[in-house]
Amino acid sequence: MIKLYNTLTRKKQIFKPVKKTRNEVGFYSCGPTVYWYAHIGNLRTYIFNDLLKRVLEYNRYKVKHVMNLTDVGHLTSDADEGEDKMEKAAQKEKKTAWQIAEFYAQAFKKDIKALNIKEPGQWVKATDHIKEQIALIRILEKKGYTYRIKDGIYFDTSKIKDYGKLAGLKKRKLKAGARVKITEGKKNITDFALWKFSPKEFKRQMEWDSPWGIGFPGWHTECIAMAEKYLGIPFDIHTGAIDLIPIHHTNEIAQAQAAFGKKMANFWLHGEHLILEHGKMAKSEGNIILIDDLIKKQINPLSYRYLCLQAHYRSKLTFSWESLKSAQNALNNLYEKIAEIKSKNKMPKSDRSERFWHRDKFLSYINDDLNTPKALAFIWKLIKEDKISYELLLEFDRVLGLDLDKIKEIKIPAGIKELAEKREKYRKEKNWEKADQIRKEIEKLGFKVEDTSQGADIKKGC
Ligand code: AMP
Ligand code: ZN
């Protein structure tokens, strides 16, 4: 039984798939806008997506995962104004918008690989689905949800009864508190562009013909058009970070309701942001950190994954280099412990029924709205009590994704073993001086001996 916090109902709910008989889960995550590198804040959201997918798979669901790449239509302002991020980047880098999209999509794929984030079963690009987006806008038009103004075709949000339910938005409040500049001709502040006309002053690189004129789709239409095509609606789970709740996801829900008379997804899950001590990580603030920055500092990107697992996905996570270093140390300690467990190749101090209980306990944490901090603490407890087997650790790593299977057992060279035996002999003879001499010799060779109740234990490192 998996419980997930659904933003739509503001409750933790038991997860039940739409297709009850097939054990299949339709999962759509809003992907990156590929105009620049994803920063580690963006990547926190994809680690959360990955975790959710791995938890579903651990619970034996077949996950049909679709992720989009936004390669057109995401403007620099929330008020459907400003430049297209893709075209702006193209000008800056003196490349075509298509080259920009391809380059940063590949960079994103490289980053998620470094973080052990499983690729979605299907990548879908907005520019490959212009036909589908036009078809969707036509349905909306026929049903009377659209109107035309100078710069494009807009969605009339006043026609949706509970518009803004996902975000708990109150329309009156929104109007009063709105600080965004309203586009000329827009009927309601929440109305959004479905199709934007190309400007007259210059030629855009990405533009298409449509029943309304040459232009390009608005950002909020691609996901609903592609999710409907590849998953059908309603599908099971839709994800993103919290900033997508009030506008992007709210507008996706409105279009699904208007075009198909259905809800888009049953569960809406949103990850909290990664923040810095002095505020949000944003390109405009110039405080962006990339995976490459970690690699340059010789930090294993999986340390960042570990850092994210230490916090619940619905809590803000404050990033600092110190916290990342601590995560790196903790991960290295974990690797060391695993190498030891592997090289000892001995059964843990737990019987079969206890091991069943351990598996259940782990499951109870991850199935409780992905409580990885508790799951990690539980694993550490088992390790410290010498109660976990190598096999069970690998099984848990199917969820954690920390590459625990790649840890090599510690190979103790025969010469070191001989020295340790000799030292043991001297110890038994109470010849402490000689025993200590050999201990120092062993340490010089990069190993250490620890005396336990079961005899001497040899480890790597001094
Ligand atoms: P974008 O590439 O700008 O479309 O953003 C990609 C994803 O990253 C979206 O789901 C955003 O909501 C999410 N995101 C943006 N900033 C942060 C942050 N500081 N922490 C976590 N997720 C973020
Ligand atoms: Zn989306």
Tab-separated table of all heavy atoms in Angstrom, residues 66-107:
chain	number	residue	atom	x	y	z
A	66	VAL	N	6.506	9.118	-19.163
A	66	VAL	CA	6.685	10.056	-20.273
A	66	VAL	C	7.223	11.373	-19.710
A	66	VAL	O	6.721	11.867	-18.702
A	66	VAL	CB	5.335	10.310	-20.989
A	66	VAL	CG1	5.496	11.341	-22.108
A	66	VAL	CG2	4.755	9.012	-21.548
A	67	MET	N	8.269	11.895	-20.351
A	67	MET	CA	8.778	13.216	-19.950
A	67	MET	C	8.974	14.084	-21.181
A	67	MET	O	9.481	13.612	-22.196
A	67	MET	CB	10.112	13.098	-19.197
A	67	MET	CG	10.496	14.402	-18.525
A	67	MET	SD	12.187	14.435	-17.911
A	67	MET	CE	12.079	13.404	-16.497
A	68	ASN	N	8.545	15.329	-21.058
A	68	ASN	CA	8.686	16.224	-22.209
A	68	ASN	C	9.974	17.030	-22.146
A	68	ASN	O	10.578	17.190	-21.090
A	68	ASN	CB	7.495	17.186	-22.278
A	68	ASN	CG	7.456	18.113	-21.091
A	68	ASN	OD1	7.482	17.674	-19.954
A	68	ASN	ND2	7.426	19.397	-21.360
A	69	LEU	N	10.376	17.493	-23.298
A	69	LEU	CA	11.463	18.463	-23.388
A	69	LEU	C	10.825	19.706	-23.992
A	69	LEU	O	10.319	19.661	-25.116
A	69	LEU	CB	12.572	17.930	-24.303
A	69	LEU	CG	13.327	16.694	-23.783
A	69	LEU	CD1	14.172	16.066	-24.887
A	69	LEU	CD2	14.211	17.063	-22.595
A	70	THR	N	10.781	20.779	-23.220
A	70	THR	CA	10.186	22.010	-23.731
A	70	THR	C	11.211	22.699	-24.610
A	70	THR	O	12.229	23.190	-24.122
A	70	THR	CB	9.758	22.929	-22.569
A	70	THR	OG1	8.781	22.239	-21.797
A	70	THR	CG2	9.155	24.232	-23.070
A	71	ASP	N	10.948	22.694	-25.922
A	71	ASP	CA	11.920	23.307	-26.833
A	71	ASP	C	11.299	24.430	-27.657
A	71	ASP	O	11.876	24.867	-28.645
A	71	ASP	CB	12.590	22.249	-27.732
A	71	ASP	CG	11.591	21.433	-28.516
A	71	ASP	OD1	10.376	21.612	-28.307
A	71	ASP	OD2	12.008	20.611	-29.352
A	72	VAL	N	10.125	24.915	-27.208
A	72	VAL	CA	9.536	26.106	-27.835
A	72	VAL	C	8.472	26.665	-26.885
A	72	VAL	O	7.900	25.913	-26.073
A	72	VAL	CB	8.882	25.782	-29.206
A	72	VAL	CG1	7.652	24.891	-29.078
A	72	VAL	CG2	8.523	27.051	-29.976
A	73	GLY	N	8.237	27.964	-26.968
A	73	GLY	CA	7.032	28.540	-26.351
A	73	GLY	C	7.126	28.944	-24.894
A	73	GLY	O	6.195	29.523	-24.362
A	74	HIS	N	8.259	28.625	-24.212
A	74	HIS	CA	8.374	29.016	-22.803
A	74	HIS	C	8.954	30.435	-22.787
A	74	HIS	O	10.118	30.641	-23.088
A	74	HIS	CB	9.289	28.033	-22.069
A	74	HIS	CG	9.193	28.118	-20.587
A	74	HIS	ND1	9.696	27.161	-19.751
A	74	HIS	CD2	8.623	29.043	-19.773
A	74	HIS	CE1	9.454	27.496	-18.494
A	74	HIS	NE2	8.812	28.634	-18.487
A	75	LEU	N	8.118	31.391	-22.420
A	75	LEU	CA	8.541	32.789	-22.495
A	75	LEU	C	9.205	33.247	-21.199
A	75	LEU	O	9.044	32.609	-20.157
A	75	LEU	CB	7.338	33.692	-22.814
A	75	LEU	CG	6.564	33.328	-24.086
A	75	LEU	CD1	5.505	34.374	-24.376
A	75	LEU	CD2	7.488	33.183	-25.289
A	76	THR	N	9.919	34.342	-21.299
A	76	THR	CA	10.668	34.799	-20.114
A	76	THR	C	9.762	35.431	-19.053
A	76	THR	O	10.181	35.630	-17.924
A	76	THR	CB	11.761	35.821	-20.513
A	76	THR	OG1	11.157	36.801	-21.364
A	76	THR	CG2	12.904	35.157	-21.253
A	77	SER	N	8.514	35.735	-19.411
A	77	SER	CA	7.611	36.315	-18.409
A	77	SER	C	6.392	35.433	-18.219
A	77	SER	O	5.932	34.759	-19.140
A	77	SER	CB	7.175	37.701	-18.879
A	77	SER	OG	5.807	37.909	-18.637
A	78	ASP	N	5.848	35.457	-17.000
A	78	ASP	CA	4.660	34.657	-16.703
A	78	ASP	C	3.399	35.212	-17.369
A	78	ASP	O	2.387	34.554	-17.439
A	78	ASP	CB	4.428	34.634	-15.180
A	78	ASP	CG	5.238	33.532	-14.536
A	78	ASP	OD1	5.849	32.752	-15.277
A	78	ASP	OD2	5.242	33.474	-13.294
A	79	ALA	N	3.468	36.463	-17.794
A	79	ALA	CA	2.264	37.102	-18.328
A	79	ALA	C	2.165	36.935	-19.852
A	79	ALA	O	1.658	37.806	-20.543
A	79	ALA	CB	2.283	38.576	-17.969
A	80	ASP	N	2.647	35.823	-20.357
A	80	ASP	CA	2.605	35.535	-21.795
A	80	ASP	C	3.268	36.626	-22.623
A	80	ASP	O	2.883	36.908	-23.744
A	80	ASP	CB	1.164	35.317	-22.276
A	80	ASP	CG	0.634	33.988	-21.794
A	80	ASP	OD1	1.361	32.992	-21.907
A	80	ASP	OD2	-0.494	33.946	-21.279
A	81	GLU	N	4.212	37.260	-22.011
A	81	GLU	CA	4.973	38.281	-22.729
A	81	GLU	C	6.451	37.958	-22.610
A	81	GLU	O	6.830	37.028	-21.903
A	81	GLU	CB	4.719	39.660	-22.116
A	81	GLU	CG	3.381	40.240	-22.527
A	81	GLU	CD	3.159	41.610	-21.929
A	81	GLU	OE1	3.814	41.920	-20.926
A	81	GLU	OE2	2.342	42.349	-22.487
A	82	GLY	N	7.266	38.757	-23.269
A	82	GLY	CA	8.710	38.536	-23.194
A	82	GLY	C	9.156	37.648	-24.324
A	82	GLY	O	8.366	37.245	-25.180
A	83	GLU	N	10.457	37.344	-24.280
A	83	GLU	CA	11.013	36.572	-25.388
A	83	GLU	C	10.872	35.080	-25.141
A	83	GLU	O	10.778	34.645	-23.992
A	83	GLU	CB	12.498	36.902	-25.516
A	83	GLU	CG	12.755	38.305	-26.022
A	83	GLU	CD	14.228	38.655	-25.880
A	83	GLU	OE1	15.004	38.241	-26.741
A	83	GLU	OE2	14.581	39.311	-24.899
A	84	ASP	N	10.933	34.319	-26.225
A	84	ASP	CA	10.965	32.868	-26.113
A	84	ASP	C	12.377	32.507	-25.622
A	84	ASP	O	13.373	32.940	-26.208
A	84	ASP	CB	10.699	32.263	-27.503
A	84	ASP	CG	10.556	30.757	-27.450
A	84	ASP	OD1	11.349	30.116	-26.725
A	84	ASP	OD2	9.678	30.226	-28.145
A	85	LYS	N	12.438	31.720	-24.531
A	85	LYS	CA	13.746	31.400	-23.948
A	85	LYS	C	14.687	30.755	-24.967
A	85	LYS	O	15.897	30.951	-24.926
A	85	LYS	CB	13.566	30.474	-22.746
A	85	LYS	CG	12.924	31.162	-21.557
A	85	LYS	CD	12.831	30.228	-20.367
A	85	LYS	CE	12.246	30.952	-19.160
A	85	LYS	NZ	12.199	30.163	-17.955
A	86	MET	N	14.123	29.948	-25.872
A	86	MET	CA	14.947	29.246	-26.856
A	86	MET	C	15.577	30.240	-27.847
A	86	MET	O	16.759	30.172	-28.142
A	86	MET	CB	14.116	28.234	-27.655
A	86	MET	CG	13.442	27.173	-26.838
A	86	MET	SD	14.574	26.183	-25.868
A	86	MET	CE	15.674	25.597	-27.107
A	87	GLU	N	14.736	31.126	-28.356
A	87	GLU	CA	15.225	32.065	-29.377
A	87	GLU	C	16.236	33.038	-28.757
A	87	GLU	O	17.225	33.423	-29.389
A	87	GLU	CB	14.047	32.826	-30.012
A	87	GLU	CG	12.996	31.884	-30.599
A	87	GLU	CD	12.879	31.924	-32.114
A	87	GLU	OE1	13.390	32.863	-32.731
A	87	GLU	OE2	12.282	30.980	-32.683
A	88	LYS	N	15.985	33.406	-27.500
A	88	LYS	CA	16.897	34.325	-26.800
A	88	LYS	C	18.278	33.663	-26.642
A	88	LYS	O	19.312	34.275	-26.896
A	88	LYS	CB	16.306	34.656	-25.428
A	88	LYS	CG	16.976	35.807	-24.768
A	88	LYS	CD	16.305	36.165	-23.467
A	88	LYS	CE	17.175	37.149	-22.709
A	88	LYS	NZ	16.749	37.312	-21.332
A	89	ALA	N	18.263	32.380	-26.241
A	89	ALA	CA	19.531	31.657	-26.069
A	89	ALA	C	20.250	31.516	-27.406
A	89	ALA	O	21.483	31.621	-27.482
A	89	ALA	CB	19.265	30.281	-25.459
A	90	ALA	N	19.481	31.302	-28.474
A	90	ALA	CA	20.081	31.135	-29.801
A	90	ALA	C	20.838	32.397	-30.211
A	90	ALA	O	21.964	32.336	-30.706
A	90	ALA	CB	19.002	30.797	-30.826
A	91	GLN	N	20.192	33.550	-29.948
A	91	GLN	CA	20.856	34.830	-30.286
A	91	GLN	C	22.144	34.989	-29.487
A	91	GLN	O	23.184	35.344	-30.018
A	91	GLN	CB	19.933	35.981	-29.943
A	91	GLN	CG	18.930	36.288	-31.030
A	91	GLN	CD	17.880	37.265	-30.510
A	91	GLN	OE1	18.106	37.974	-29.546
A	91	GLN	NE2	16.738	37.284	-31.180
A	92	LYS	N	22.041	34.673	-28.197
A	92	LYS	CA	23.184	34.869	-27.302
A	92	LYS	C	24.357	33.966	-27.704
A	92	LYS	O	25.503	34.397	-27.734
A	92	LYS	CB	22.736	34.557	-25.871
A	92	LYS	CG	23.691	35.052	-24.844
A	92	LYS	CD	23.096	34.938	-23.443
A	92	LYS	CE	24.198	34.547	-22.495
A	92	LYS	NZ	23.833	33.591	-21.516
A	93	GLU	N	24.038	32.739	-28.046
A	93	GLU	CA	25.114	31.770	-28.330
A	93	GLU	C	25.466	31.685	-29.818
A	93	GLU	O	26.281	30.860	-30.213
A	93	GLU	CB	24.721	30.383	-27.803
A	93	GLU	CG	24.619	30.343	-26.290
A	93	GLU	CD	24.601	28.933	-25.733
A	93	GLU	OE1	25.216	28.027	-26.342
A	93	GLU	OE2	23.953	28.734	-24.703
A	94	LYS	N	24.787	32.479	-30.602
A	94	LYS	CA	24.990	32.503	-32.063
A	94	LYS	C	24.855	31.101	-32.667
A	94	LYS	O	25.701	30.631	-33.424
A	94	LYS	CB	26.345	33.126	-32.402
A	94	LYS	CG	26.443	34.563	-31.918
A	94	LYS	CD	27.635	35.297	-32.488
A	94	LYS	CE	27.642	36.766	-32.138
A	94	LYS	NZ	27.158	37.157	-30.821
A	95	LYS	N	23.782	30.446	-32.263
A	95	LYS	CA	23.442	29.130	-32.812
A	95	LYS	C	21.987	29.201	-33.227
A	95	LYS	O	21.303	30.180	-32.915
A	95	LYS	CB	23.573	28.055	-31.730
A	95	LYS	CG	24.992	27.721	-31.324
A	95	LYS	CD	24.937	26.591	-30.310
A	95	LYS	CE	26.298	26.271	-29.744
A	95	LYS	NZ	26.200	25.443	-28.540
A	96	THR	N	21.486	28.137	-33.861
A	96	THR	CA	20.053	28.149	-34.155
A	96	THR	C	19.325	27.639	-32.905
A	96	THR	O	19.919	26.954	-32.057
A	96	THR	CB	19.701	27.215	-35.337
A	96	THR	OG1	19.932	25.868	-34.909
A	96	THR	CG2	20.528	27.528	-36.570
A	97	ALA	N	18.041	27.959	-32.829
A	97	ALA	CA	17.241	27.496	-31.684
A	97	ALA	C	17.231	25.963	-31.650
A	97	ALA	O	17.197	25.350	-30.580
A	97	ALA	CB	15.827	28.048	-31.800
A	98	TRP	N	17.288	25.352	-32.837
A	98	TRP	CA	17.269	23.883	-32.924
A	98	TRP	C	18.562	23.300	-32.362
A	98	TRP	O	18.555	22.277	-31.682
A	98	TRP	CB	17.078	23.433	-34.381
A	98	TRP	CG	15.829	24.015	-34.968
A	98	TRP	CD1	15.726	25.144	-35.727
A	98	TRP	CD2	14.493	23.521	-34.802
A	98	TRP	NE1	14.420	25.382	-36.056
A	98	TRP	CE2	13.643	24.404	-35.514
A	98	TRP	CE3	13.933	22.428	-34.147
A	98	TRP	CZ2	12.263	24.225	-35.577
A	98	TRP	CZ3	12.562	22.238	-34.211
A	98	TRP	CH2	11.748	23.125	-34.912
A	99	GLN	N	19.657	23.977	-32.655
A	99	GLN	CA	20.961	23.504	-32.122
A	99	GLN	C	20.994	23.653	-30.598
A	99	GLN	O	21.489	22.775	-29.892
A	99	GLN	CB	22.112	24.314	-32.725
A	99	GLN	CG	22.443	23.905	-34.143
A	99	GLN	CD	23.370	24.922	-34.818
A	99	GLN	OE1	23.397	26.105	-34.461
A	99	GLN	NE2	24.111	24.459	-35.812
A	100	ILE	N	20.437	24.771	-30.131
A	100	ILE	CA	20.382	25.005	-28.675
A	100	ILE	C	19.597	23.870	-28.012
A	100	ILE	O	20.048	23.261	-27.032
A	100	ILE	CB	19.701	26.372	-28.374
A	100	ILE	CG1	20.572	27.522	-28.851
A	100	ILE	CG2	19.325	26.514	-26.906
A	100	ILE	CD1	21.767	27.838	-27.979
A	101	ALA	N	18.438	23.572	-28.576
A	101	ALA	CA	17.567	22.533	-27.991
A	101	ALA	C	18.297	21.196	-27.945
A	101	ALA	O	18.286	20.497	-26.918
A	101	ALA	CB	16.284	22.408	-28.806
A	102	GLU	N	18.939	20.838	-29.034
A	102	GLU	CA	19.623	19.549	-29.113
A	102	GLU	C	20.777	19.488	-28.110
A	102	GLU	O	20.932	18.517	-27.363
A	102	GLU	CB	20.134	19.348	-30.561
A	102	GLU	CG	20.848	18.043	-30.836
A	102	GLU	CD	20.025	16.799	-30.492
A	102	GLU	OE1	18.775	16.874	-30.506
A	102	GLU	OE2	20.644	15.753	-30.174
A	103	PHE	N	21.556	20.564	-28.069
A	103	PHE	CA	22.730	20.585	-27.188
A	103	PHE	C	22.326	20.436	-25.719
A	103	PHE	O	22.864	19.603	-24.983
A	103	PHE	CB	23.517	21.891	-27.409
A	103	PHE	CG	24.730	21.980	-26.527
A	103	PHE	CD1	25.919	21.368	-26.915
A	103	PHE	CD2	24.690	22.647	-25.301
A	103	PHE	CE1	27.047	21.424	-26.089
A	103	PHE	CE2	25.810	22.702	-24.474
A	103	PHE	CZ	26.982	22.090	-24.877
A	104	TYR	N	21.340	21.236	-25.283
A	104	TYR	CA	20.989	21.197	-23.860
A	104	TYR	C	20.140	19.982	-23.489
A	104	TYR	O	20.139	19.553	-22.334
A	104	TYR	CB	20.344	22.525	-23.433
A	104	TYR	CG	21.390	23.625	-23.421
A	104	TYR	CD1	21.354	24.657	-24.356
A	104	TYR	CD2	22.436	23.594	-22.518
A	104	TYR	CE1	22.337	25.644	-24.370
A	104	TYR	CE2	23.427	24.565	-22.523
A	104	TYR	CZ	23.377	25.582	-23.442
A	104	TYR	OH	24.360	26.540	-23.458
A	105	ALA	N	19.469	19.409	-24.476
A	105	ALA	CA	18.749	18.146	-24.195
A	105	ALA	C	19.787	17.051	-23.913
A	105	ALA	O	19.643	16.267	-22.966
A	105	ALA	CB	17.858	17.762	-25.374
A	106	GLN	N	20.850	17.034	-24.709
A	106	GLN	CA	21.911	16.025	-24.499
A	106	GLN	C	22.609	16.264	-23.157
A	106	GLN	O	22.914	15.323	-22.429
A	106	GLN	CB	22.951	16.058	-25.633
A	106	GLN	CG	22.447	15.556	-26.980
A	106	GLN	CD	21.723	14.214	-26.902
A	106	GLN	OE1	22.040	13.369	-26.082
A	106	GLN	NE2	20.707	14.042	-27.744
A	107	ALA	N	22.851	17.553	-22.834
A	107	ALA	CA	23.510	17.881	-21.557
A	107	ALA	C	22.636	17.409	-20.397
A	107	ALA	O	23.138	16.869	-19.402
A	107	ALA	CB	23.753	19.388	-21.470
